[in-house]
């Protein structure tokens, strides 16, 4: 109701623009901050969505190749082509560690006494790579969580300031007509709306990406087991 009344006030632009123009300087500052948060968070949402979609697609494709063949050269070629896949990166790092260990062995062959140590070293390399990939996928995710938390608080701050401004206007004019209330209440309404507009997409995206990254981490853990089985069959039994 108040938004309609404000929109109908002579000399004011209608709707959201009218509310923004009628708000005080603090309301405009809060809205500017919220706008910055919104632009950055939406940019991160789009970039993160594209990256995780490519990572998932390439990981599924590499797993199909890995489970179809045991040809090391073919697997290396496939993994090198899939730059976004953390599973492919895991294979490359694991294979690199295996080659380094094999070259350090006499005649390049593992004896029974060495196998437990080799397995331990490769597993450690896979764990480190997994953690690095998860950390990379979680980059900038904290900003979305911060935006989802700070957005409503900034909106609430602007709302409280606007209500204070409205009461101050009443005190100055000695009346509660629309002219006294409009600036403060416009500031309160626009800040509340802005805070929610910024926070809701950020929270949804944060939860969605967190689940996607958790699924990817589980897939990497499962692949580590498959890779160790591949190493045992292909190398350590020779």
């Amino acid at each position: 109701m108040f938004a309609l009344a404000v929109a109908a006030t002579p000399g004011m632009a209608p709707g959201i623009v009218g509310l923004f123009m009628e708000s005080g300087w603090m309301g405009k500052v809060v809205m500017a901050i919220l706008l910055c948060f919104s632009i950055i968070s939406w940019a991160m949402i789009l970039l993160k969505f594209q990256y995780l979609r490519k990572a998932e697609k390439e990981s599924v494709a590499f797993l199909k190749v890995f489970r179809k063949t045991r040809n090391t050269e073919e697997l290396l070629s496939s993994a090198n082509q899939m730059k976004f896949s953390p599973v492919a990166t895991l294979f490359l790092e694991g294979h690199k560690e295996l080659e380094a260990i094999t070259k350090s062995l006499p005649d390049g062959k593992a004896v029974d006494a060495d196998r437990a140590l080799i397995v331990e070293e490769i597993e450690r390399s896979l764990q480190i790579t997994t953690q690095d990939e998860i950390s990379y996928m979680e980059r900038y995710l904290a900003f979305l969580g911060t935006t989802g938390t700070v957005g409503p608080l900034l909106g609430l701050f602007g709302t409280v300031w606007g209500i204070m401004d409205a009461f101050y206007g009443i005190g100055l004019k000695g009346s509660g007509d629309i002219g006294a209330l409009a600036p403060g209440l416009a500031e309160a309404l626009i800040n509340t709306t802005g805070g929610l507009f910024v926070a809701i997409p950020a929270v949804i995206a944060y939860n969605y990406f967190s689940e996607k990254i958790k699924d990817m981490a589980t897939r990497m853990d499962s692949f580590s087991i498959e890779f160790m089985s591949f190493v045992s069959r292909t190398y350590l039994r020779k």
Side-chain angles (χ1 to χ4, degrees):
M1 293 295 292
F2 176 76
L4 295 176
V6 172
T9 302
M12 283 187 57
I16 297 297
V17 176
L19 288 174
F20 178 77
M21 297 305 296
E22 184 68 9
S23 64
W25 67 271
M26 180 57 73
K28 291 183 174 65
V29 169
V30 172
M31 284 301 296
I33 296 173
L34 289 172
L35 179 62
C36 292
F37 269 99
S38 181
I39 292 173
I40 296 172
S41 63
W42 272 108
M44 290 181 178
I45 288 170
L46 294 176
L47 291 174
K48 185 68 69 175
F49 178 79
Q50 291 178 352
Y51 171 77
L52 290 178
R53 184 177 63 177
K54 290 180 181 178
E56 185 175 21
K57 182 179 179 181
E58 290 188 358
S59 294
V60 171
F62 178 75
L63 284 173
K64 288 181 180 179
V65 175
F66 181 81
R67 291 164 181 168
K68 182 180 178 180
T69 181
R70 288 297 182 263
N71 186 296
T72 303
E73 295 302 322
E74 183 179 350
L75 290 172
L76 287 171
S77 176
S78 178
N80 282 313
Q81 293 175 8
M82 300 179 181
K83 304 297 183 182
F84 293 94
S85 171
V87 175
T89 301
L90 198 61
F91 175 82
L92 291 173
E93 292 299 321
H95 186 268
K96 185 188 297 183
E97 183 68 19
L98 176 62
E99 280 191 328
I101 294 174
T102 302
K103 290 179 181 178
S104 67
L105 296 173
D107 299 326
K109 295 181 180 180
V111 298
D112 292 339
D114 297 327
R115 288 177 183 174
L117 181 60
I118 293 172
V119 168
E120 183 180 345
E121 290 295 326
I122 296 175
E123 286 180 344
R124 183 182 296 110
S125 175
L126 294 176
Q127 289 175 0
I128 293 173
T129 303
T130 298
Q131 292 301 318
D132 290 342
E133 289 297 310
I134 292 174
S135 297
Y136 184 80
M137 287 188 287
E138 289 178 341
R139 284 196 315 167
Y140 312 126
L141 203 59
F143 183 85
L144 293 179
T146 301
T147 301
T149 303
V150 172
L153 295 177
L154 282 173
L156 179 60
F157 172 76
T159 300
V160 173
W161 188 280
I163 293 173
M164 290 170 56
D165 196 26
F167 281 109
Y168 181 70
I170 293 173
L172 287 179
K173 293 190 176 183
S175 65
D177 59 21
I178 191 66
L181 289 171
L185 292 183
E187 188 171 331
L189 289 172
I190 195 71
N191 286 166
T192 301
T193 304
L196 293 176
F197 180 81
V198 170
I200 291 173
V203 171
I204 293 174
Y206 178 85
N207 291 332
Y208 175 79
F209 293 145
S210 295
E211 286 300 317
K212 282 292 183 182
I213 293 172
K214 188 184 297 182
D215 292 342
M216 193 67 69
T218 301
R219 182 171 295 168
M220 293 176 71
D221 289 338
S222 299
F223 178 75
S224 295
I225 298 173
E226 292 186 59
F227 181 79
M228 292 309 303
S229 177
F230 167 75
V231 169
S232 297
R233 289 195 307 267
T234 308
Y235 295 96
L236 298 185
R237 289 181 181 177
K238 292 183 178 180

